[in-house]
């Protein structure tokens, strides 16, 4: 990126009400067959246009073609039985009925590549595409085959690498892996989480990012966050090793979270997507609030490596609120960009 402080979102944006029930996660599609295919493309067009209208620099599909950030990818894999469900504890936090791994996992065909090509055909701006990370995939399934979280993660990493290479060939500029599990399983992160992530990005020439957040949209996440106290230092566990990794960009949450800003120092040298928009609140940030978060982050990240972003996806918000937040992000970044340019 040549522009200073290029803005982007963590990923998802609200879907139009004709495509899926708004303001809920896991919302079922309202269309079927050909109409659904066309509907998802139309929603992507709208989502892109809203990002462009707000002045977002690095755009995405707003995750209009997926129901869930992990499960939609897994649905396309061999070796996972969606009928055979087991109850497991997700993120060591809440019980959920999940599909089972019943045999060797593999990718039947590209999952998001056609969608990425479509987005590429709609804009010349840099585009970012999100995939789930290996550890978060493992943590969203019951494994009745490998019986080892690490083994399964390595298998998923191989599959993700195949998908990522095709996304790169489709013209994606930044491939992002969502790893909320990195905020929970610290030993595993350092033993094999970051290693499997590096396997997933092996051989890529495009930029790569990891998004780590505290989870949104469900009560279990909110309840968990209430137990974390006034200082959230979870990032401290993964950052030193991430700093040493081949990942280019780290996306994290800042505004209104209890993460001490100085933890960013631990990933010095990486580009940082700083969450300056709270996705758990309907209150639209003022541009000045966004600017203040970015100024604080600038103490720990060089200006040319600071990427203003949202804390997480905005799928559960109303479209109106999401639009307001996109504009605030853009306007806040513009304030600080101006300040930086005046100093040069
Ligand atoms: Zn997130």
């Amino acid at each position: 990126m040549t522009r200073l402080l290029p803005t982007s979102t963590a990923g998802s944006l609200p879907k139009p009400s004709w495509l899926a029930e708004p303001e809920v996660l896991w919302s079922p599609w309202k269309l079927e067959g050909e109409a659904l295919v066309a509907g998802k493309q139309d929603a992507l067009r709208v989502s892109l246009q809203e990002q462009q209208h707000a002045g977002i620099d690095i755009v995405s599909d707003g995750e209009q073609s997926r129901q869930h950030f992990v499960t939609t990818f897994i649905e396309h894999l061999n070796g996972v039985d969606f009928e055979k469900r087991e109850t497991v504890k997700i993120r060591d936090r809440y019980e959920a009925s999940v599909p089972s791994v019943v045999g060797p996992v593999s990718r039947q065909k590209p999952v998001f590549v056609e969608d990425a090509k479509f987005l590429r055909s709609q804009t010349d701006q840099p585009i970012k595409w999100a995939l789930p990370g290996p550890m978060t995939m493992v943590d969203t399934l019951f494994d009745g085959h490998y019986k080892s979280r690490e083994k399964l993660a390595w298998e998923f990493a191989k599959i993700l690498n195949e998908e990522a290479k095709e996304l790169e060939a489709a013209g994606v500029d930044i491939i992002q892996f969502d790893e909320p599990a990195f905020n929970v399983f610290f030993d595993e992160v350092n033993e094999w989480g970051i290693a499997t992530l590096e396997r997933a990005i092996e051989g890529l020439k495009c930029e790569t990012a990891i998004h780590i957040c505290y989870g949104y949209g469900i009560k279990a996440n909110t309840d968990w966050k209430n137990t974390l106290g006034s200082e959230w230092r979870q990032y401290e566990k993964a950052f030193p090793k991430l700093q040493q990794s081949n990942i280019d960009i780290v996306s994290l949450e800042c505004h209104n979270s209890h993460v001490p800003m100085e933890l960013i120092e631990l990933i010095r040298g990486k580009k940082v997507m700083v969450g300056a928009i709270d996705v758990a609140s309907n209150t639209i940030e003022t541009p000045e609030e966004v600017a203040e978060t970015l100024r604080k982050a600038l103490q720990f990240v060089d200006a040319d490596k600071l990427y203003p972003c949202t804390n997480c996806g905005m799928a559960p918000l109303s479209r109106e609120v999401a639009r307001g937040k996109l504009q605030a992000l853009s306007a806040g970044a513009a304030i600080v960009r101006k300040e930086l340019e005046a100093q040069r």
Side-chain angles (χ1 to χ4, degrees):
M1 287 295 303
T2 46
R3 184 178 209 189
L4 209 50
L5 310 188
T7 52
S8 65
T9 71
S12 69
L13 290 167
K15 293 189 179 79
S17 59
W18 45 260
L19 181 63
E21 182 82 26
E23 295 175 52
V24 286
L25 292 177
W26 287 98
S27 174
W29 303 113
K30 288 189 181 173
L31 306 171
E32 283 174 32
E34 291 293 305
L36 178 59
V37 174
K40 286 176 181 174
Q41 290 198 339
D42 287 342
L44 188 154
R45 283 187 181 95
V46 173
S47 179
L48 172 63
Q49 198 260 356
E50 289 186 343
Q51 293 171 73
Q52 292 172 328
H53 191 69
I56 299 299
D57 300 299
I58 302 164
V59 292
S60 76
D61 67 331
E63 301 186 7
Q64 298 296 303
S65 60
R66 63 187 94 176
Q67 269 184 311
H68 187 268
F69 79 104
V70 185
T71 311
T72 298
F73 188 79
I74 293 174
E75 272 170 21
H76 291 77
L77 306 183
N78 290 319
V80 183
D81 188 343
F82 273 73
E83 306 291 301
K84 194 166 181 292
R85 302 190 78 87
E86 299 278 351
T87 298
V88 298
K89 206 164 189 195
I90 292 188
R91 314 285 179 269
D92 205 22
R93 200 176 305 156
Y94 58 95
E95 307 233 305
S97 160
V98 297
S100 301
V101 178
V102 294
V105 289
S106 64
R107 196 182 61 146
Q108 299 161 16
K109 56 181 171 38
V111 179
F112 292 127
V113 178
E114 285 310 309
D115 295 331
K117 282 183 187 165
F118 181 72
L119 174 62
R120 181 73 289 168
S121 74
Q122 300 296 308
T123 177
D124 294 326
Q125 284 178 252
I127 61 177
K128 178 160 77 76
W129 202 274
L131 292 173
M135 181 183 283
T136 298
M137 287 173 74
V138 167
D139 197 52
T140 310
L141 286 168
F142 173 78
D143 172 16
H145 180 73
Y146 295 93
K147 309 229 164 55
S148 152
R149 281 162 70 90
E150 178 177 354
K151 262 188 207 158
L152 181 56
W154 284 106
E155 294 303 318
F156 282 150
K158 259 191 261 172
I159 294 171
L160 288 164
N161 188 246
E162 293 167 16
E163 178 80 5
K165 282 184 172 157
E166 290 180 41
L167 289 171
E168 175 186 82
V172 172
D173 302 279
I174 301 173
I175 298 177
Q176 170 181 305
F177 294 87
D178 295 333
E179 281 285 28
F182 271 31
N183 258 346
V184 185
F185 306 107
F186 309 120
D187 291 342
E188 290 183 324
V189 166
N190 286 292
E191 282 159 23
W192 51 262
I194 293 169
T196 53
L197 186 69
E198 288 194 291
R199 173 68 184 88
I201 64 168
E202 204 174 275
L204 291 178
K205 285 174 277 303
C206 68
E207 288 210 289
T208 56
I210 177 171
H211 168 72
I212 311 174
C213 67
Y214 284 79
Y216 284 93
I218 55 171
K219 190 176 173 291
N221 287 335
T222 319
D223 291 347
W224 173 62
K225 285 187 263 190
N226 287 335
T227 69
L228 296 179
S230 59
E231 271 212 338
W232 298 357
R233 305 193 69 94
Q234 281 71 15
Y235 288 141
E236 206 166 37
K237 306 289 203 305
F239 277 8
K241 207 161 181 161
L242 266 181
Q243 198 276 335
Q244 301 290 315
S245 75
N246 292 327
I247 281 276
D248 301 304
I249 306 170
V250 180
S251 162
L252 49 92
E253 57 177 84
C254 298
H255 179 60
N256 280 357
S257 85
H258 299 280
V259 176
M261 196 66 97
E262 71 263 20
L263 296 187
I264 297 178
E265 182 67 46
L266 296 169
I267 41 171
R268 183 68 83 169
K270 298 292 178 197
K271 292 170 179 167
V272 186
M273 288 182 165
V274 169
I277 295 290
D278 181 0
V279 302
S281 152
N282 287 322
T283 308
I284 295 169
E285 288 76 3
T286 64
E288 187 47 44
E289 280 176 304
V290 171
E292 201 39 44
T293 302
L294 301 178
R295 288 187 200 109
K296 279 189 207 149
L298 277 170
Q299 297 175 264
F300 308 103
V301 54
D302 297 341
D304 62 344
K305 294 189 163 61
L306 175 58
Y307 285 45
C309 195
T310 59
N311 276 354
C312 190
M314 297 207 279
L317 298 176
S318 78
R319 296 178 73 193
E320 199 189 345
V321 169
R323 270 195 293 268
K325 286 179 179 269
L326 288 178
Q327 301 213 335
L329 178 64
S330 208
I335 294 172
V336 181
R337 199 178 290 129
K338 232 178 173 175
E339 291 169 357
L340 289 166
E341 277 157 5
Q343 289 167 19
R344 293 191 152 195

